[in-house]
């Protein structure tokens, strides 16, 4: 099975529940995380710790990509850029200090999160946080793609994207949605964890790309639902 989860935004409880519910076999199944592990939720530190553990325990089957929130965190620690502070960075700093009282361990996790790859590719799909630039090779994408709006990404022709990915669909997140759709080239799996404007619709999704279904932990209702991915 191939799974994808993105835009957790500090949702550790949902992460644990979804991975347990799905009964993922990490020795056989593939799991890709699409970035934005931190900010807005209350457990950024726990999320980073667990995902880092999984990538280290199962390096051939679990992959983590960087999101724009990790990019902002890196810019803050490396150059003092204050943009992160406008996106819940202050609360995340406090949470990281609580979860990693040892400064060396804390810095190791911050450095890990800020230096994750932009893109991952397997035999069926290409994975990224927000979008792709069709004029740059996959292995040389600029960091601007972490900030690409869904409208800009979806305005790129299918032909241009398939030329870039060798006809592989692109799995991504970054822009919250209430339902997951697949149009043959894009699949957005950001269910709005701790971010979506309608609080009752906020969720964390775990996509089963093999079956084209997904589990969503609905944070307001505190329950898991299984849904079919809509196709058009």
């Amino acid at each position: 099975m191939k799974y994808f989860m993105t835009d957790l935004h500090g949702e550790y409880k949902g992460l644990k529940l979804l991975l347990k519910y799905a009964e993922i076999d990490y020795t056989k199944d593939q799991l890709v995380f699409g970035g934005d592990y931190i900010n807005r939720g209350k457990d950024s530190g726990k999320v980073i710790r667990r995902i880092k553990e999984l990538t280290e325990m199962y390096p051939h089957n679990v992959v983590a990509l960087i999101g724009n929130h990790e990019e902002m965190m890196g810019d803050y620690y490396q150059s003092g850029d204050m943009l992160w502070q406008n996106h819940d960075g202050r609360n995340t700093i406090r949470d990281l200090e609580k979860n990693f009282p040892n400064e060396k361990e804390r810095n190791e996790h911050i450095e890990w999160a800020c230096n994750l790859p932009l893109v991952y590719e397997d035999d069926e799909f290409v994975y990224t946080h927000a979008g792709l630039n069709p004029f740059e090779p996959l292995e040389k994408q600029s960091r601007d793609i972490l900030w690409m709006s869904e409208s800009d990404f979806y305005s790129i022709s299918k032909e241009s994207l398939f030329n870039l990915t060798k006809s592989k669909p692109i799995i991504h997140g970054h822009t919250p949605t209430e339902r997951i759709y697949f149009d043959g080239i894009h699949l957005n799996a950001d269910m709005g964890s701790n971010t979506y404007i309608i609080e009752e619709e906020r969720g964390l999704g775990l996509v089963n790309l093999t079956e084209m279904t997904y589990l969503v932990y609905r944070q307001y209702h505190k329950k898991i639902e299984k849904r079919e991915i809509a196709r058009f």
Side-chain angles (χ1 to χ4, degrees), residues 19 29 32 39 58 61 79 81 87 100 112 135 179 199:
L19 296 183
D29 298 327
V32 179
N39 299 344
Y58 308 100
N61 293 338
S79 64
D81 190 316
H87 294 271
F100 305 106
W112 172 83
F135 303 108
R179 296 291 186 273
E199 187 173 351

Side-chain angles (χ1 to χ4, degrees), residues 36 44 82 87 141 143 162-163 165 168 204 211-212 227-228:
D36 278 9
S44 294
M82 297 301 291
H87 294 271
Q141 292 280 305
R143 306 192 79 80
F162 271 166
N163 283 339
T165 67
K168 296 177 183 178
L204 177 63
E211 297 180 347
M212 278 295 169
R227 301 174 181 171
E228 299 283 336

Side-chain angles (χ1 to χ4, degrees), residues 47-60:
V47 169
I48 288 178
R49 184 193 298 276
R50 182 56 179 153
I51 294 177
K52 184 173 184 288
E53 285 175 349
L54 287 172
T55 61
E56 291 172 348
M57 291 170 64
Y58 308 100
H60 300 295

Side-chain angles (χ1 to χ4, degrees), residues 77 88-100:
Y77 282 110
D88 202 42
R90 291 180 180 88
N91 287 330
T92 299
I93 289 173
R94 287 193 288 269
D95 185 65
L96 291 171
E97 290 175 346
K98 180 183 73 174
N99 279 278
F100 305 106

Side-chain angles (χ1 to χ4, degrees), residues 185-198:
I185 177 64
H186 319 86
L187 189 153
N188 176 14
D190 179 0
M191 301 296 295
S193 173
N194 295 315
T195 64
Y196 194 55
I197 190 170
I198 303 173

Side-chain angles (χ1 to χ4, degrees), residues 156-168:
I156 301 169
S157 72
K158 181 177 180 179
E159 180 182 13
S160 295
L161 290 174
F162 271 166
N163 283 339
L164 174 67
T165 67
K166 297 183 175 64
S167 298
K168 296 177 183 178

Side-chain angles (χ1 to χ4, degrees), residues 154 177-184 186-189 214 229-232:
Y154 282 47
T177 183
E178 292 182 15
R179 296 291 186 273
I180 296 180
Y181 303 89
F182 179 53
D183 62 4
H186 319 86
L187 189 153
N188 176 14
Y214 64 103
I229 293 175
R231 300 173 186 248
F232 62 91

